[in-house]
Amino acid sequence: MAAQAELRWAILVIAIVVFLLGMVVYMSLHWALMPPARIETIDPTTLHLAGEFTEGNLGTAIEPDGSVTVRVIGQQYSFTPQCLLLPANTPVRFRSTSSDVVHGFIISGTNVNVMLEPGYISTFEATFKTPADRVMPCHEFCGVAHAAMWARVRVIDKKDFFKQAGKERRLSCV
Ligand code: CUA
């Protein structure tokens, strides 16, 4: 009787282990087979020559549909533009990439935190509640001058921003 009870427990334990292993295998295959949520690629070697990230396109702009987009490039060891001008209380779409190695940035006092990978466009949306001057340091080690790589972010009143944006195609506060 005791031996039978022991066997039952052993079978139960083995069943649990097999179930857990099966779950690991199933989830690994499942995720490996799924396409990633959303990936936009770009050739990092020609960023400055053509397309969305040429110098004249960097900075903040009002799109034809009225939304606000800011385009930023990270490179060893700076961001372009060096100072982002953004409207308060307005959803701002960030589109950014790197022209050399992996960089990243956070914006002080906010939950903005993104990685810039050469070959990929990092996109996200953020809203800044109040006008403020903030700093935007690189937070991925990218070489000897990593610690010196940072930009500024100036969030200004929405009305002032849209007034300025009416005059210039791309805004920054460099
Ligand atoms: Cu760029 Cu660290």
Side-chain angles (χ1 to χ4, degrees):
M1 263 331 199
Q4 261 181 0
E6 214 169 292
L7 189 67
R8 274 203 301 275
W9 281 109
I11 288 168
L12 182 67
V13 168
I14 289 166
I16 290 172
V17 169
V18 167
F19 173 72
L20 289 175
L21 281 176
M23 209 156 74
V24 168
V25 170
Y26 172 76
M27 289 312 284
S28 308
L29 290 175
H30 180 71
W31 287 114
L33 291 173
M34 299 276 260
R38 182 166 177 278
I39 281 191
E40 274 183 87
T41 57
I42 191 162
D43 182 353
T45 60
T46 57
L47 289 183
H48 57 299
L49 297 177
E52 186 180 346
F53 291 94
T54 51
E55 200 174 350
N57 280 336
L58 299 177
T60 315
I62 299 178
E63 303 290 340
D65 67 359
S67 65
V68 178
T69 305
V70 56
R71 292 182 176 80
V72 189
I73 284 185
Q75 65 262 307
Q76 287 166 320
Y77 294 97
S78 63
F79 293 101
T80 312
Q82 266 294 99
C83 180
L84 312 184
L85 190 69
L86 304 174
N89 267 313
T90 311
V92 176
R93 172 163 300 277
F94 282 72
R95 289 178 64 78
S96 49
T97 188
S98 162
S99 60
D100 41 37
V101 301
V102 175
H103 300 278
F105 61 78
I106 57 169
I107 297 179
S108 62
T110 71
N111 65 355
V112 170
N113 181 335
V114 65
M115 274 178 79
L116 309 183
E117 289 176 72
Y120 297 91
I121 300 175
S122 305
T123 309
F124 63 93
E125 212 171 80
T127 302
F128 302 87
K129 289 264 178 304
T130 49
D133 279 329
R134 303 187 179 282
V135 288
M136 186 179 113
C138 177
H139 70 26
E140 292 291 336
F141 182 78
C142 52
V144 285
H146 158 70
M149 178 171 174
W150 61 284
R152 287 176 299 136
V153 177
R154 179 165 296 157
V155 181
I156 63 169
D157 186 71
K158 191 174 176 170
K159 261 196 270 140
D160 296 340
F161 176 89
F162 280 91
K163 212 190 288 170
Q164 286 194 43
K167 291 180 221 143
E168 291 168 68
R169 203 170 76 88
R170 302 283 157 173
L171 293 175
S172 68
C173 42
V174 175

